[in-house]
Short mmCIF file of all heavy atoms in Angstrom, two decimals:
data_model
loop_
_atom_site.label_atom_id
_atom_site.label_comp_id
_atom_site.label_asym_id
_atom_site.label_seq_id
_atom_site.Cartn_x
_atom_site.Cartn_y
_atom_site.Cartn_z
N MET U 25 110.44 133.50 112.49
CA MET U 25 110.49 132.55 113.59
C MET U 25 110.12 131.18 113.04
O MET U 25 109.20 131.04 112.26
CB MET U 25 109.50 132.97 114.67
CG MET U 25 109.45 131.99 115.82
SD MET U 25 108.38 132.51 117.15
CE MET U 25 109.44 133.67 117.93
N ALA U 26 110.86 130.18 113.42
CA ALA U 26 110.63 128.82 112.93
C ALA U 26 110.06 127.96 114.05
O ALA U 26 110.36 128.15 115.21
CB ALA U 26 111.94 128.23 112.43
N PHE U 27 109.22 127.02 113.68
CA PHE U 27 108.64 126.08 114.61
C PHE U 27 108.94 124.66 114.16
O PHE U 27 109.16 124.43 112.98
CB PHE U 27 107.11 126.26 114.67
CG PHE U 27 106.70 127.59 115.17
CD1 PHE U 27 106.43 128.62 114.29
CD2 PHE U 27 106.59 127.83 116.52
CE1 PHE U 27 106.06 129.86 114.75
CE2 PHE U 27 106.21 129.06 116.99
CZ PHE U 27 105.95 130.09 116.11
N LEU U 28 108.93 123.74 115.07
CA LEU U 28 109.15 122.33 114.74
C LEU U 28 107.87 121.56 114.96
O LEU U 28 107.19 121.73 115.96
CB LEU U 28 110.24 121.74 115.64
CG LEU U 28 111.62 122.34 115.50
CD1 LEU U 28 112.56 121.70 116.51
CD2 LEU U 28 112.15 122.14 114.11
N ILE U 29 107.55 120.70 114.01
CA ILE U 29 106.43 119.78 114.17
C ILE U 29 107.02 118.39 114.32
O ILE U 29 107.91 118.01 113.57
CB ILE U 29 105.51 119.82 112.93
CG1 ILE U 29 104.89 121.19 112.78
CG2 ILE U 29 104.43 118.75 113.02
CD1 ILE U 29 104.04 121.35 111.56
N GLY U 30 106.52 117.61 115.27
CA GLY U 30 107.05 116.27 115.49
C GLY U 30 108.17 116.33 116.50
O GLY U 30 109.32 116.19 116.15
N MET U 31 107.84 116.56 117.73
CA MET U 31 108.84 116.68 118.77
C MET U 31 109.50 115.32 119.03
O MET U 31 108.87 114.29 118.93
CB MET U 31 108.22 117.21 120.06
CG MET U 31 107.68 118.62 119.89
SD MET U 31 108.89 119.78 119.24
CE MET U 31 110.04 119.82 120.59
N PRO U 32 110.75 115.34 119.37
CA PRO U 32 111.47 114.08 119.60
C PRO U 32 111.08 113.43 120.93
O PRO U 32 110.59 114.10 121.84
CB PRO U 32 112.93 114.52 119.65
CG PRO U 32 112.86 115.92 120.12
CD PRO U 32 111.60 116.50 119.53
N PHE U 33 111.29 112.16 121.01
CA PHE U 33 111.10 111.42 122.27
C PHE U 33 112.46 111.22 122.88
O PHE U 33 113.33 110.62 122.28
CB PHE U 33 110.43 110.07 121.99
CG PHE U 33 110.34 109.22 123.22
CD1 PHE U 33 109.37 109.48 124.17
CD2 PHE U 33 111.22 108.19 123.43
CE1 PHE U 33 109.29 108.70 125.31
CE2 PHE U 33 111.15 107.41 124.56
CZ PHE U 33 110.18 107.67 125.50
N PHE U 34 112.66 111.77 124.07
CA PHE U 34 113.93 111.61 124.75
C PHE U 34 113.82 110.50 125.78
O PHE U 34 113.00 110.55 126.67
CB PHE U 34 114.34 112.91 125.46
CG PHE U 34 114.67 114.01 124.52
CD1 PHE U 34 113.90 115.15 124.47
CD2 PHE U 34 115.77 113.90 123.68
CE1 PHE U 34 114.22 116.17 123.60
CE2 PHE U 34 116.09 114.92 122.81
CZ PHE U 34 115.31 116.05 122.76
N GLY U 35 114.65 109.51 125.64
CA GLY U 35 114.68 108.42 126.59
C GLY U 35 116.07 108.24 127.15
O GLY U 35 116.92 109.12 127.03
N TYR U 36 116.30 107.12 127.73
CA TYR U 36 117.61 106.85 128.31
C TYR U 36 118.41 105.88 127.46
O TYR U 36 119.31 105.24 127.93
CB TYR U 36 117.44 106.30 129.74
CG TYR U 36 116.89 107.33 130.66
CD1 TYR U 36 115.55 107.33 131.01
CD2 TYR U 36 117.70 108.33 131.17
CE1 TYR U 36 115.04 108.30 131.86
CE2 TYR U 36 117.21 109.30 132.02
CZ TYR U 36 115.87 109.28 132.36
OH TYR U 36 115.38 110.24 133.19
N SER U 37 118.09 105.79 126.18
CA SER U 37 118.82 104.89 125.30
C SER U 37 120.12 105.55 124.85
O SER U 37 120.34 106.74 125.06
CB SER U 37 117.96 104.54 124.09
OG SER U 37 117.70 105.70 123.34
N GLN U 38 120.97 104.77 124.20
CA GLN U 38 122.25 105.28 123.73
C GLN U 38 122.08 106.34 122.65
O GLN U 38 122.76 107.34 122.65
CB GLN U 38 123.11 104.13 123.21
CG GLN U 38 123.67 103.26 124.29
CD GLN U 38 124.75 103.96 125.07
OE1 GLN U 38 125.36 104.91 124.61
NE2 GLN U 38 124.99 103.51 126.29
N GLN U 39 121.18 106.09 121.70
CA GLN U 39 121.00 107.03 120.61
C GLN U 39 119.57 107.55 120.60
O GLN U 39 118.63 106.83 120.92
CB GLN U 39 121.30 106.38 119.27
CG GLN U 39 122.76 106.07 119.10
CD GLN U 39 123.07 105.61 117.70
OE1 GLN U 39 122.27 104.94 117.07
NE2 GLN U 39 124.24 105.97 117.21
N VAL U 40 119.42 108.81 120.22
CA VAL U 40 118.12 109.44 120.13
C VAL U 40 117.91 109.89 118.69
O VAL U 40 118.77 110.56 118.11
CB VAL U 40 118.04 110.67 121.07
CG1 VAL U 40 116.72 111.37 120.94
CG2 VAL U 40 118.28 110.26 122.52
N LYS U 41 116.78 109.50 118.11
CA LYS U 41 116.45 109.92 116.76
C LYS U 41 115.50 111.11 116.86
O LYS U 41 114.46 111.03 117.51
CB LYS U 41 115.78 108.78 116.01
CG LYS U 41 115.42 109.11 114.59
CD LYS U 41 114.78 107.91 113.92
CE LYS U 41 114.44 108.19 112.48
NZ LYS U 41 113.78 107.01 111.87
N ILE U 42 115.88 112.20 116.24
CA ILE U 42 115.07 113.41 116.24
C ILE U 42 114.67 113.68 114.80
O ILE U 42 115.52 113.75 113.91
CB ILE U 42 115.86 114.61 116.80
CG1 ILE U 42 116.34 114.33 118.21
CG2 ILE U 42 115.02 115.87 116.75
CD1 ILE U 42 117.30 115.36 118.74
N GLU U 43 113.38 113.82 114.56
CA GLU U 43 112.93 114.15 113.21
C GLU U 43 111.71 115.07 113.31
O GLU U 43 111.00 115.07 114.32
CB GLU U 43 112.62 112.91 112.40
CG GLU U 43 111.67 111.95 113.03
CD GLU U 43 111.54 110.67 112.22
OE1 GLU U 43 112.25 110.47 111.23
OE2 GLU U 43 110.69 109.87 112.61
N GLY U 44 111.52 115.88 112.30
CA GLY U 44 110.40 116.80 112.31
C GLY U 44 110.37 117.65 111.07
O GLY U 44 111.05 117.37 110.08
N LYS U 45 109.56 118.70 111.11
CA LYS U 45 109.39 119.61 109.98
C LYS U 45 109.54 121.03 110.50
O LYS U 45 109.03 121.36 111.56
CB LYS U 45 108.01 119.42 109.37
CG LYS U 45 107.74 120.29 108.14
CD LYS U 45 106.37 120.04 107.56
CE LYS U 45 106.26 118.73 106.85
NZ LYS U 45 106.78 118.69 105.49
N VAL U 46 110.24 121.87 109.74
CA VAL U 46 110.43 123.26 110.11
C VAL U 46 109.42 124.11 109.35
O VAL U 46 109.35 124.04 108.12
CB VAL U 46 111.87 123.74 109.79
CG1 VAL U 46 112.07 125.17 110.23
CG2 VAL U 46 112.90 122.83 110.45
N ILE U 47 108.62 124.89 110.09
CA ILE U 47 107.62 125.78 109.49
C ILE U 47 107.71 127.14 110.18
O ILE U 47 108.24 127.26 111.27
CB ILE U 47 106.19 125.22 109.62
CG1 ILE U 47 105.81 125.02 111.08
CG2 ILE U 47 106.04 123.93 108.83
CD1 ILE U 47 104.35 124.67 111.30
N ASP U 48 107.16 128.17 109.51
CA ASP U 48 107.12 129.49 110.14
C ASP U 48 105.78 129.68 110.84
O ASP U 48 104.96 128.75 110.92
CB ASP U 48 107.42 130.60 109.13
CG ASP U 48 106.36 130.75 108.05
OD1 ASP U 48 105.26 130.15 108.17
OD2 ASP U 48 106.62 131.49 107.08
N SER U 49 105.53 130.88 111.36
CA SER U 49 104.33 131.13 112.15
C SER U 49 103.04 131.05 111.33
O SER U 49 101.96 130.90 111.89
CB SER U 49 104.41 132.50 112.83
OG SER U 49 104.57 133.52 111.86
N SER U 50 103.13 131.12 110.00
CA SER U 50 101.95 130.97 109.15
C SER U 50 101.87 129.58 108.52
O SER U 50 101.17 129.38 107.53
CB SER U 50 101.94 132.05 108.07
OG SER U 50 103.06 131.92 107.22
N SER U 51 102.62 128.63 109.09
CA SER U 51 102.66 127.22 108.65
C SER U 51 103.29 127.03 107.28
O SER U 51 103.09 126.01 106.64
CB SER U 51 101.26 126.59 108.69
OG SER U 51 100.77 126.59 110.00
N LYS U 52 104.05 128.00 106.81
CA LYS U 52 104.79 127.85 105.56
C LYS U 52 106.05 127.04 105.82
O LYS U 52 106.77 127.28 106.78
CB LYS U 52 105.16 129.23 105.00
CG LYS U 52 105.91 129.16 103.70
CD LYS U 52 106.28 130.56 103.22
CE LYS U 52 107.18 130.45 102.00
NZ LYS U 52 107.71 131.75 101.61
N VAL U 53 106.31 126.06 104.97
CA VAL U 53 107.50 125.20 105.10
C VAL U 53 108.76 126.01 104.88
O VAL U 53 108.83 126.84 103.97
CB VAL U 53 107.42 124.04 104.07
CG1 VAL U 53 108.72 123.28 104.00
CG2 VAL U 53 106.28 123.10 104.41
N LEU U 54 109.75 125.80 105.74
CA LEU U 54 111.05 126.47 105.60
C LEU U 54 112.10 125.44 105.19
O LEU U 54 112.54 124.63 106.00
CB LEU U 54 111.44 127.13 106.91
CG LEU U 54 110.53 128.25 107.40
CD1 LEU U 54 110.99 128.76 108.75
CD2 LEU U 54 110.49 129.38 106.38
N SER U 55 112.48 125.48 103.93
CA SER U 55 113.52 124.57 103.44
C SER U 55 114.89 125.17 103.71
O SER U 55 115.03 126.37 103.91
CB SER U 55 113.33 124.32 101.94
OG SER U 55 113.43 125.52 101.23
N ASN U 56 115.88 124.32 103.72
CA ASN U 56 117.28 124.71 103.94
C ASN U 56 117.52 125.44 105.25
O ASN U 56 118.43 126.25 105.35
CB ASN U 56 117.81 125.53 102.76
CG ASN U 56 117.79 124.75 101.48
OD1 ASN U 56 118.17 123.59 101.46
ND2 ASN U 56 117.32 125.36 100.41
N SER U 57 116.70 125.16 106.27
CA SER U 57 116.93 125.71 107.61
C SER U 57 118.02 124.88 108.29
O SER U 57 118.17 123.70 108.01
CB SER U 57 115.66 125.64 108.45
OG SER U 57 114.66 126.47 107.89
N ILE U 58 118.75 125.50 109.17
CA ILE U 58 119.81 124.81 109.89
C ILE U 58 119.29 124.38 111.26
O ILE U 58 118.75 125.20 111.99
CB ILE U 58 121.04 125.72 110.06
CG1 ILE U 58 121.58 126.13 108.69
CG2 ILE U 58 122.12 125.02 110.89
CD1 ILE U 58 122.63 127.22 108.75
N ILE U 59 119.42 123.11 111.58
CA ILE U 59 119.01 122.56 112.87
C ILE U 59 120.27 122.11 113.60
O ILE U 59 121.05 121.33 113.06
CB ILE U 59 118.03 121.37 112.71
CG1 ILE U 59 116.76 121.81 111.98
CG2 ILE U 59 117.68 120.78 114.05
CD1 ILE U 59 116.79 121.63 110.53
N ILE U 60 120.45 122.61 114.81
CA ILE U 60 121.63 122.27 115.61
C ILE U 60 121.16 121.63 116.91
O ILE U 60 120.27 122.17 117.57
CB ILE U 60 122.47 123.51 115.93
CG1 ILE U 60 122.98 124.15 114.63
CG2 ILE U 60 123.64 123.16 116.84
CD1 ILE U 60 123.67 125.49 114.84
N ALA U 61 121.74 120.50 117.28
CA ALA U 61 121.49 119.86 118.57
C ALA U 61 122.68 120.15 119.46
O ALA U 61 123.82 119.83 119.12
CB ALA U 61 121.30 118.36 118.40
N SER U 62 122.41 120.82 120.61
CA SER U 62 123.51 121.12 121.54
C SER U 62 123.25 120.42 122.86
O SER U 62 122.13 120.01 123.14
CB SER U 62 123.63 122.63 121.75
OG SER U 62 122.51 123.13 122.44
N ASP U 63 124.28 120.31 123.68
CA ASP U 63 124.11 119.65 124.96
C ASP U 63 123.22 120.49 125.88
O ASP U 63 123.08 121.69 125.70
CB ASP U 63 125.45 119.33 125.62
CG ASP U 63 126.23 120.56 126.06
OD1 ASP U 63 125.80 121.68 125.75
OD2 ASP U 63 127.27 120.39 126.69
N THR U 64 122.58 119.82 126.83
CA THR U 64 121.63 120.49 127.70
C THR U 64 122.30 121.19 128.87
O THR U 64 121.68 122.01 129.53
CB THR U 64 120.60 119.49 128.24
OG1 THR U 64 121.29 118.44 128.90
CG2 THR U 64 119.76 118.92 127.14
N GLU U 65 123.55 120.89 129.14
CA GLU U 65 124.23 121.49 130.29
C GLU U 65 124.70 122.91 130.00
O GLU U 65 124.35 123.84 130.70
CB GLU U 65 125.40 120.61 130.72
CG GLU U 65 124.97 119.26 131.23
CD GLU U 65 126.15 118.35 131.49
OE1 GLU U 65 127.30 118.82 131.43
OE2 GLU U 65 125.92 117.16 131.73
N SER U 66 125.50 123.09 128.99
CA SER U 66 126.06 124.40 128.72
C SER U 66 125.57 125.02 127.42
O SER U 66 125.64 126.22 127.24
CB SER U 66 127.59 124.32 128.68
OG SER U 66 127.98 123.51 127.59
N GLY U 67 125.09 124.20 126.50
CA GLY U 67 124.68 124.69 125.20
C GLY U 67 125.85 125.01 124.29
O GLY U 67 125.68 125.47 123.18
N ASN U 68 127.07 124.76 124.75
CA ASN U 68 128.26 125.10 123.98
C ASN U 68 128.78 123.96 123.12
O ASN U 68 129.55 124.19 122.21
CB ASN U 68 129.39 125.55 124.92
CG ASN U 68 129.05 126.84 125.61
OD1 ASN U 68 128.33 127.66 125.07
ND2 ASN U 68 129.54 127.00 126.82
N ARG U 69 128.39 122.74 123.42
CA ARG U 69 128.90 121.59 122.68
C ARG U 69 127.87 121.14 121.64
O ARG U 69 126.74 120.82 121.98
CB ARG U 69 129.18 120.45 123.64
CG ARG U 69 130.02 119.36 123.02
CD ARG U 69 130.43 118.36 124.03
NE ARG U 69 129.31 117.43 124.19
CZ ARG U 69 129.29 116.44 125.05
NH1 ARG U 69 130.29 116.25 125.86
NH2 ARG U 69 128.27 115.64 125.12
N ILE U 70 128.23 121.13 120.38
CA ILE U 70 127.33 120.70 119.32
C ILE U 70 127.37 119.18 119.23
O ILE U 70 128.43 118.59 119.09
CB ILE U 70 127.71 121.33 117.97
CG1 ILE U 70 127.50 122.84 118.04
CG2 ILE U 70 126.91 120.72 116.84
CD1 ILE U 70 127.92 123.58 116.81
N LEU U 71 126.18 118.57 119.34
CA LEU U 71 126.08 117.11 119.29
C LEU U 71 125.75 116.62 117.89
O LEU U 71 126.01 115.47 117.56
CB LEU U 71 125.00 116.63 120.26
CG LEU U 71 125.19 117.07 121.71
CD1 LEU U 71 124.00 116.65 122.53
CD2 LEU U 71 126.47 116.50 122.28
N GLY U 72 125.15 117.46 117.08
CA GLY U 72 124.81 117.09 115.72
C GLY U 72 124.16 118.26 115.02
O GLY U 72 123.69 119.20 115.66
N PHE U 73 124.15 118.24 113.70
CA PHE U 73 123.48 119.29 112.95
C PHE U 73 123.05 118.74 111.60
O PHE U 73 123.56 117.72 111.13
CB PHE U 73 124.38 120.52 112.78
CG PHE U 73 125.59 120.28 111.94
CD1 PHE U 73 125.58 120.55 110.59
CD2 PHE U 73 126.75 119.79 112.50
CE1 PHE U 73 126.70 120.32 109.81
CE2 PHE U 73 127.89 119.57 111.74
CZ PHE U 73 127.85 119.84 110.38
N ASN U 74 122.09 119.42 111.00
CA ASN U 74 121.58 119.04 109.69
C ASN U 74 120.83 120.23 109.12
O ASN U 74 120.62 121.22 109.81
CB ASN U 74 120.67 117.82 109.80
CG ASN U 74 120.57 117.04 108.50
OD1 ASN U 74 120.99 117.51 107.45
ND2 ASN U 74 120.02 115.85 108.57
N THR U 75 120.41 120.12 107.87
CA THR U 75 119.54 121.13 107.28
C THR U 75 118.23 120.48 106.87
O THR U 75 118.18 119.27 106.61
CB THR U 75 120.19 121.78 106.03
OG1 THR U 75 120.50 120.76 105.09
CG2 THR U 75 121.45 122.54 106.40
N SER U 76 117.18 121.28 106.81
CA SER U 76 115.90 120.74 106.37
C SER U 76 115.91 120.62 104.84
O SER U 76 116.57 121.39 104.14
CB SER U 76 114.75 121.64 106.84
OG SER U 76 114.90 122.96 106.36
N ASP U 77 115.15 119.65 104.33
CA ASP U 77 115.10 119.44 102.89
C ASP U 77 114.08 120.40 102.26
O ASP U 77 113.58 121.32 102.92
CB ASP U 77 114.80 117.98 102.56
CG ASP U 77 113.44 117.51 103.05
OD1 ASP U 77 112.58 118.35 103.39
OD2 ASP U 77 113.23 116.29 103.10
N LEU U 78 113.77 120.21 100.99
CA LEU U 78 112.84 121.10 100.29
C LEU U 78 111.43 121.09 100.90
O LEU U 78 110.69 122.06 100.75
CB LEU U 78 112.76 120.72 98.81
CG LEU U 78 114.03 120.99 98.01
CD1 LEU U 78 113.87 120.48 96.58
CD2 LEU U 78 114.40 122.45 98.03
N ASN U 79 111.07 120.02 101.60
CA ASN U 79 109.76 119.92 102.26
C ASN U 79 109.81 120.37 103.72
O ASN U 79 108.83 120.23 104.43
CB ASN U 79 109.24 118.49 102.18
CG ASN U 79 109.04 118.03 100.76
OD1 ASN U 79 108.53 118.78 99.93
ND2 ASN U 79 109.48 116.83 100.46
N GLY U 80 110.96 120.85 104.18
CA GLY U 80 111.12 121.28 105.56
C GLY U 80 111.43 120.16 106.53
O GLY U 80 111.56 120.38 107.72
N ASP U 81 111.55 118.92 106.04
CA ASP U 81 111.80 117.76 106.91
C ASP U 81 113.28 117.67 107.27
O ASP U 81 114.15 118.03 106.49
CB ASP U 81 111.38 116.47 106.20
CG ASP U 81 109.90 116.43 105.92
OD1 ASP U 81 109.11 116.87 106.78
OD2 ASP U 81 109.51 115.95 104.83
N PHE U 82 113.54 117.18 108.48
CA PHE U 82 114.92 116.97 108.92
C PHE U 82 114.98 115.73 109.81
O PHE U 82 113.99 115.29 110.35
CB PHE U 82 115.46 118.19 109.68
CG PHE U 82 114.86 118.35 111.04
CD1 PHE U 82 115.49 117.81 112.15
CD2 PHE U 82 113.69 119.04 111.21
CE1 PHE U 82 114.92 117.95 113.41
CE2 PHE U 82 113.13 119.19 112.47
CZ PHE U 82 113.75 118.64 113.57
N ARG U 83 116.19 115.17 109.94
CA ARG U 83 116.48 114.03 110.82
C ARG U 83 117.85 114.22 111.45
O ARG U 83 118.78 114.65 110.80
CB ARG U 83 116.52 112.74 110.03
CG ARG U 83 115.21 112.11 109.85
CD ARG U 83 115.30 110.73 109.21
NE ARG U 83 114.00 110.43 108.68
CZ ARG U 83 113.60 110.69 107.46
NH1 ARG U 83 114.44 111.22 106.59
NH2 ARG U 83 112.39 110.42 107.07
N LEU U 84 117.93 113.87 112.72
CA LEU U 84 119.21 113.86 113.43
C LEU U 84 119.27 112.59 114.26
O LEU U 84 118.26 112.15 114.81
CB LEU U 84 119.33 115.04 114.39
CG LEU U 84 119.56 116.42 113.82
CD1 LEU U 84 119.45 117.46 114.93
CD2 LEU U 84 120.92 116.51 113.18
N LEU U 85 120.41 112.00 114.38
CA LEU U 85 120.65 110.86 115.26
C LEU U 85 121.81 111.24 116.16
O LEU U 85 122.93 111.46 115.68
CB LEU U 85 120.97 109.61 114.45
CG LEU U 85 121.07 108.31 115.21
CD1 LEU U 85 119.76 107.96 115.89
CD2 LEU U 85 121.49 107.18 114.29
N ILE U 86 121.53 111.38 117.45
CA ILE U 86 122.56 111.80 118.39
C ILE U 86 122.64 110.83 119.55
O ILE U 86 121.74 110.03 119.76
CB ILE U 86 122.31 113.24 118.89
CG1 ILE U 86 120.96 113.32 119.59
CG2 ILE U 86 122.42 114.23 117.77
CD1 ILE U 86 120.71 114.62 120.28
N ASN U 87 123.69 110.91 120.32
CA ASN U 87 123.92 109.97 121.42
C ASN U 87 123.46 110.47 122.78
O ASN U 87 123.46 109.74 123.73
CB ASN U 87 125.40 109.61 121.50
CG ASN U 87 125.82 108.73 120.36
OD1 ASN U 87 125.05 107.93 119.88
ND2 ASN U 87 127.04 108.90 119.89
N LEU U 88 123.11 111.75 122.89
CA LEU U 88 122.74 112.32 124.18
C LEU U 88 121.45 113.13 124.06
O LEU U 88 121.07 113.55 122.99
CB LEU U 88 123.85 113.24 124.69
CG LEU U 88 125.24 112.64 124.86
CD1 LEU U 88 126.24 113.74 125.15
CD2 LEU U 88 125.22 111.63 126.00
N LYS U 89 120.83 113.38 125.21
CA LYS U 89 119.69 114.29 125.25
C LYS U 89 120.17 115.68 124.85
O LYS U 89 121.24 116.10 125.24
CB LYS U 89 119.11 114.31 126.67
CG LYS U 89 117.82 115.04 126.79
CD LYS U 89 117.28 114.84 128.19
CE LYS U 89 116.01 115.64 128.36
NZ LYS U 89 115.48 115.51 129.71
N ALA U 90 119.38 116.42 124.06
CA ALA U 90 119.87 117.67 123.50
C ALA U 90 118.79 118.73 123.41
O ALA U 90 117.59 118.43 123.48
CB ALA U 90 120.42 117.41 122.10
N ASN U 91 119.21 119.97 123.26
CA ASN U 91 118.34 121.09 122.92
C ASN U 91 118.44 121.31 121.43
O ASN U 91 119.53 121.17 120.86
CB ASN U 91 118.82 122.37 123.62
CG ASN U 91 118.62 122.31 125.11
OD1 ASN U 91 117.59 121.84 125.60
ND2 ASN U 91 119.59 122.80 125.86
N LEU U 92 117.34 121.68 120.78
CA LEU U 92 117.36 121.98 119.35
C LEU U 92 117.35 123.48 119.14
O LEU U 92 116.57 124.18 119.76
CB LEU U 92 116.17 121.36 118.63
CG LEU U 92 116.16 119.85 118.50
CD1 LEU U 92 114.96 119.42 117.67
CD2 LEU U 92 117.43 119.35 117.86
N ILE U 93 118.19 123.94 118.25
CA ILE U 93 118.24 125.34 117.84
C ILE U 93 118.00 125.35 116.34
O ILE U 93 118.66 124.62 115.59
CB ILE U 93 119.61 125.95 118.15
CG1 ILE U 93 119.94 125.78 119.65
CG2 ILE U 93 119.68 127.42 117.73
CD1 ILE U 93 121.39 126.03 119.99
N VAL U 94 117.05 126.19 115.86
CA VAL U 94 116.71 126.22 114.44
C VAL U 94 116.95 127.62 113.90
O VAL U 94 116.51 128.60 114.49
CB VAL U 94 115.23 125.83 114.22
CG1 VAL U 94 114.88 125.90 112.74
CG2 VAL U 94 114.95 124.46 114.78
N PHE U 95 117.68 127.71 112.79
CA PHE U 95 117.87 128.96 112.06
C PHE U 95 117.19 128.79 110.72
O PHE U 95 117.58 127.94 109.93
CB PHE U 95 119.36 129.24 111.85
CG PHE U 95 120.11 129.39 113.14
CD1 PHE U 95 120.80 128.32 113.68
CD2 PHE U 95 120.12 130.60 113.82
CE1 PHE U 95 121.52 128.46 114.85
CE2 PHE U 95 120.82 130.73 115.00
CZ PHE U 95 121.51 129.66 115.52
N GLY U 96 116.15 129.57 110.46
CA GLY U 96 115.44 129.40 109.19
C GLY U 96 115.02 130.68 108.57
O GLY U 96 115.08 131.74 109.05
#
């Protein structure tokens, strides 16, 4: 199970910057995890995606409010 540290701030601006760190339940960093941002209405439309780096850090810049899905 993966957790995110550094929750995004969702506002009403055009673009939303999401950044954080992916860790497991024992606080071990999970590198190369896949982070997917999907729309909040249906969850079927992918708004952006990225992978975490060797330190578990990731960044996404999307245009809409989104749900995050992490595979690690």
Side-chain angles (χ1 to χ4, degrees):
M25 177 176 281
F27 297 94
L28 297 177
I29 297 177
M31 296 307 293
F33 174 77
F34 292 115
Y36 293 101
S37 64
Q38 286 289 338
Q39 291 188 325
V40 177
K41 181 179 181 181
I42 302 171
E43 53 186 6
K45 183 179 287 279
V46 182
I47 60 171
D48 67 11
S49 59
S50 62
S51 298
K52 181 181 173 188
V53 170
L54 296 177
S55 60
N56 298 317
S57 296
I58 300 169
I59 299 92
I60 299 172
S62 67
D63 67 354
T64 56
E65 295 173 10
S66 65
N68 294 330
R69 194 173 82 183
I70 294 176
L71 304 174
F73 66 94
N74 203 348
T75 57
S76 58
D77 63 15
L78 292 176
N79 298 317
D81 297 320
F82 72 93
R83 274 188 199 92
L84 287 172
L85 187 61
I86 59 172
N87 289 326
L88 302 171
K89 189 173 177 182
N91 291 319
L92 290 184
I93 304 165
V94 179
F95 299 96

